[in-house]
Amino acid sequence: MGGARKRARPTADARGNALMDQDTAATMPTTRIRKPLIPFNVGLVLPAQLTMLAVVLAPTLIAIYLSVTDWQPTAGVPWYRAEIVWFWNFYDLWYDERYINALWRTLLVVVVAVVCELAIAIGLALLFLDEWPWRKLAVSVLILPMMIVPVDAANAFFMLFNDRGPINHLIGMAIGRSFEFSWLSDPNWALAPIVLCEIWQWTPLMFLLMLTGFTNLLQNQIRAAIVLGASRVRIFFRIMLPLLMPVIAVALLIRGIETFKIFDAVYILTRGGPGASTETISMFMYNGAFVYFRIGYIAAAALLVLVVVVSICLALSRPLKRHHG
Amino acid sequence: MAPSNDNATAPKLELREVDKRYDRVHAVKRLSLRLMKGEFVSLLGPSGCGKSTTLAMIAGFEPPNSGEIAVDGRRIEHLPAQRRRIGLVFQDYAVFSKLTVRANLSFGLEAKGTPRDTRHRLVAEMASRLELTGTLDRRGGRLNMSEMQRVALGRVLLTEPELVLLDEPMSNLDAALRAGLRSELKQIQKQLGQTVLYVTHDQVEAMSMSDRIAVMNAGELQQYGTPDEIYNRPRNRFVAEFIGDPPINLLPCEIKTVAGRMVADTACHRGLVLGRGRIDPGRHWLAIRPHHIVAAPAPGVGWAPAIVRFVENLGAEHVLHVEYGDSLARVVVAPGFAGEGETVHLAIDPARAHLIDGASGDAVPLAPAEAAA
């Protein structure tokens, strides 16, 4: 049957086309609407895509190339003529304690900062679930830190934690004698102001996410738990928190990635010092690339971080996908 | 669940002059209601009549502005919802979607601090009674409607509540499922002797399950009585019109008093003898159910001809919409009795008709007239 149809079709088509040609020749206007060079929808997206290529893909490719060279701008050789060292950069990184330490330190900052942000944000969001006077105004005030330029926030913390700054002054008032402690020049304590600054600035974002999450929870499940006689604590842990899990996962992911890139606070408060005791991974790269000018080596370091971050994200996003699937 | 030895004469739930006002709306107006132990009572009314507000006040989510709510004679208005020992089944069932059926069922018991072993035993018993044993380890979010209803009911019953409130639990189900769940629910309630207050806007649910029905409209209690009373002796125009499917006919009529008896003239029927009663002569309403108008193909004495405008096919019976004066009247007949445009002859059984005061809208009590006839 299929064969018969195949044989029959060409003749019919040929006849049809012949007729069409005669018709169009007689009736079609001489000026045709020209088909656009690129379709409209493609044209809309193209500029953005080209920009992305220019600022993301090209630098990434160059970085991959640089990571297998030992290029240093101070050596007087243009980057495209740099000597290829293949994987020695990665080998060196593996034994570079400063790099490994910076990675672990960054991870510590991420975990401490994000967990604190989450805990404070959930607490605040619970407070803001009930209606009370000036509630809307209070929300606006609470989210102010988020609006401040990170460098300014860091400068504020720099002043707060100064030797003779307000923090020391307050501690002095609390313990009843003058208190002086150089927070930012003590290797054991210098990370604390950095983490505090991060928490202060980004808890508001977490708070907004949690508040939206809580207000969108299924109210009847909570009411049902109330009439079943459950206490507030039990309702929170058994009903509200499990329902909020997807929102929490997204919030952790967003803030985790953001905090991993922490730079402003470190740069303003300590520049990674004293020594390298507060050097996070982005500070390490800044120092390596723009203080010691070891571009090739740092490109390799950056690539490794990229691989680590992307795999963590993929691992975290899998349970989310399962939730929606 | 277990019968307690409370004073049997005290009502299980009593509302006394309960009043609730929001900014602009007077939601519930001085509502008084009593439920006896083991009774299944429906709170029936159209949307916005105040029935859900009433439920929220009993459950403890809304404080009344005035009035008293008492369970077993003890007042509970001041108690928080957690401590009222009142079970509530929500419109959407509100099964805890992240918890298993087992955890859902034992939730109330855990909150009460029931020991683990007792809890397990009670949950297993309830699960087998509600045929949920097979689903015990499934998440609440993965249940069908029937299972959700049973879980919602089961977890409430396990806390041995003084009474169970159900808030339109079937309003978002399709018709086939409703009939099944209705009988299921009624059976469980009977087995356990549980006092139930059931809020609904569906008269079929109220009529089929209730021991008594409280009809509400615009925040006011219209009538409180057994389904028979509500159906056969509606107290006012609202109840008469709200109950019954197809709806009751309200025929304008002229009332005269002849030899102590009230006689009604409608657009088509004259001299309908209603019985003894008190009403000002003049224009009133004669309310009669479509089942109580008799139709015949040929005329007889006192029968009035009417033209069929259209026919509603209900399967088992047909509803004729016939011209009656300026309006249409509904008459229930056997299928195939008459078609559109045909003329039928109607008779009204005055004994089944209700007289409704044209001014106040209240039904006028009628004494039988056979002595004079």
Side-chain angles (χ1 to χ4, degrees), chain B residues 66-306:
Chain B
S66 64
E68 296 172 8
I69 303 171
V71 171
D72 283 328
R74 286 187 299 274
R75 290 177 58 173
I76 59 163
E77 316 92 80
H78 58 280
L79 288 179
Q82 275 102 331
R83 293 182 41 216
R84 291 199 178 187
R85 300 189 18 97
I86 288 175
L88 178 52
V89 175
F90 289 83
Q91 188 166 355
D92 58 0
Y93 300 136
V95 170
F96 304 135
S97 49
K98 297 282 171 184
L99 302 186
T100 60
V101 169
R102 191 191 307 278
N104 264 281
L105 289 176
S106 63
F107 191 87
L109 295 176
E110 279 173 46
K112 269 206 308 194
T114 312
R116 204 185 163 79
D117 296 343
T118 327
R119 214 164 64 208
H120 280 311
R121 185 172 49 77
L122 289 173
V123 167
E125 275 174 22
M126 184 57 74
S128 72
R129 168 175 272 151
L130 298 178
E131 290 167 31
L132 285 168
T133 311
T135 62
L136 272 176
D137 293 313
R138 220 183 297 164
R139 287 274 179 102
R142 300 188 176 273
L143 299 176
N144 65 34
M145 282 297 178
S146 164
E147 288 159 348
M148 287 211 291
Q149 186 192 29
R150 281 176 283 156
V151 170
L153 198 61
R155 95 185 157 190
V156 156
L157 292 175
L158 272 169
T159 60
E160 305 192 1
E162 299 290 346
L163 79 154
V164 174
L165 311 174
L166 293 111
D167 186 10
E168 309 215 23
M170 304 195 189
S171 60
N172 34 21
L173 306 183
D174 48 49
L177 200 51
R178 270 188 216 190
L181 292 185
R182 231 164 35 214
S183 51
E184 216 170 69
L185 180 62
K186 182 68 188 169
Q187 266 182 4
I188 295 167
Q189 183 262 338
K190 262 189 165 169
Q191 262 181 33
L192 300 176
Q194 180 71 52
T195 318
V196 168
L197 182 62
Y198 186 95
V199 165
T200 180
H201 62 262
D202 184 341
Q203 49 160 316
V204 181
E205 285 173 17
M207 294 292 287
S208 58
M209 292 190 289
S210 313
D211 297 315
R212 282 198 285 174
I213 300 175
V215 184
M216 276 184 87
N217 185 38
E220 271 177 302
L221 183 64
Q222 305 290 319
Q223 187 170 358
Y224 188 31
T226 64
D228 279 343
E229 284 166 4
I230 299 275
Y231 186 80
N232 293 323
R233 292 199 296 280
R235 221 172 58 189
N236 57 29
R237 180 176 168 181
F238 176 82
V239 177
E241 282 188 291
F242 194 73
I243 304 289
D245 187 36
I248 202 163
N249 293 300
L250 273 184
L251 310 172
C253 67
E254 198 79 40
I255 297 292
K256 293 172 296 198
T257 312
V258 178
R261 292 173 300 171
M262 284 190 293
V263 179
D265 290 341
T266 65
C268 302
H269 292 91
R270 311 223 149 253
L272 294 168
V273 179
L274 296 175
R276 296 171 190 283
R278 293 171 154 276
I279 195 168
D280 295 334
R283 292 193 67 76
H284 297 286
W285 298 100
L286 197 65
I288 181 139
R289 302 225 173 258
H291 290 90
H292 298 149
I293 300 183
V294 189
V301 180
W303 294 64

Side-chain angles (χ1 to χ4, degrees), chain A residues 177-195:
Chain A
R177 61 188 164 83
S178 102
F179 181 83
E180 255 186 52
F181 181 68
S182 305
W183 294 92
L184 298 171
S185 28
D186 186 302
N188 295 320
W189 283 96
L191 207 53
I194 294 173
V195 173

Side-chain angles (χ1 to χ4, degrees), chain A residues 36-306:
Chain A
L37 208 61
I38 36 177
F40 181 64
N41 49 358
V42 176
L44 279 181
V45 183
L46 203 59
Q49 290 295 320
L50 288 177
T51 315
M52 284 297 284
L53 279 183
V55 302
V56 175
L57 190 64
T60 308
L61 290 177
I62 295 173
I64 291 174
Y65 160 73
L66 285 175
S67 71
V68 293
T69 70
D70 72 344
W71 188 61
Q72 298 192 9
T74 47
V77 188
W79 61 270
Y80 44 85
R81 293 228 184 104
E83 193 194 341
I84 306 284
V85 296
W86 297 111
F87 297 107
W88 282 108
N89 280 335
F90 296 94
Y91 180 83
D92 289 346
L93 279 169
W94 187 255
Y95 292 103
D96 187 342
E97 248 176 64
R98 189 163 167 182
Y99 175 66
I100 304 294
N101 281 343
L103 265 180
W104 282 116
R105 191 174 296 118
T106 310
L107 220 59
L108 177 75
V109 170
V110 169
V111 170
V112 173
V114 173
V115 166
C116 289
E117 283 168 25
L118 182 71
I120 300 172
I122 287 180
L124 281 175
L126 286 176
L127 280 181
F128 277 79
L129 274 187
D130 301 325
E131 199 59 47
W132 38 273
W134 304 101
R135 177 177 171 275
K136 281 212 172 99
L137 185 73
V139 171
S140 320
V141 171
L142 264 181
I143 63 172
L144 271 182
M146 203 169 79
M147 322 265 186
I148 294 172
V149 181
V151 174
D152 291 348
N155 269 317
F157 271 74
F158 183 76
M159 289 185 274
L160 281 176
F161 282 93
N162 217 323
D163 293 3
R164 296 165 195 276
I167 297 287
N168 282 344
H169 187 69
L170 281 177
I171 295 176
M173 269 166 55
I175 62 175
R177 61 188 164 83
S178 102
F179 181 83
E180 255 186 52
F181 181 68
S182 305
W183 294 92
L184 298 171
S185 28
D186 186 302
N188 295 320
W189 283 96
L191 207 53
I194 294 173
V195 173
L196 276 178
C197 177
E198 191 72 7
I199 293 173
W200 177 78
Q201 185 155 35
W202 293 111
T203 299
L205 176 69
M206 205 64 127
F207 163 67
L208 275 188
L209 290 171
M210 292 303 124
L211 187 62
T212 326
F214 275 127
T215 39
N216 287 336
L217 283 190
L218 302 158
Q219 285 305 311
N220 272 356
Q221 291 198 23
I222 295 165
R223 287 179 149 202
I226 292 176
V227 270
L228 285 172
S231 65
R232 292 177 77 107
V233 177
R234 178 179 294 272
I235 292 172
F236 175 74
F237 282 108
R238 294 279 278 161
I239 309 297
M240 294 169 87
L241 216 50
L243 283 173
L244 201 65
M245 236 32 230
V247 180
I248 292 178
V250 171
L252 287 181
L253 198 61
I254 294 174
R255 284 301 306 142
I257 295 170
E258 282 289 309
T259 313
F260 198 85
K261 300 187 294 188
I262 182 171
F263 181 76
D264 307 54
V266 186
Y267 184 81
I268 299 293
L269 286 166
T270 64
R271 307 235 164 165
S277 61
T278 59
E279 205 171 57
T280 60
I281 197 64
S282 47
M283 199 65 225
F284 170 83
M285 289 194 252
Y286 175 87
N287 282 336
F290 304 116
V291 177
Y292 306 120
F293 295 110
R294 303 176 64 194
I295 302 287
Y297 185 64
I298 294 304
L303 272 186
L304 277 185
V305 169
L306 185 70

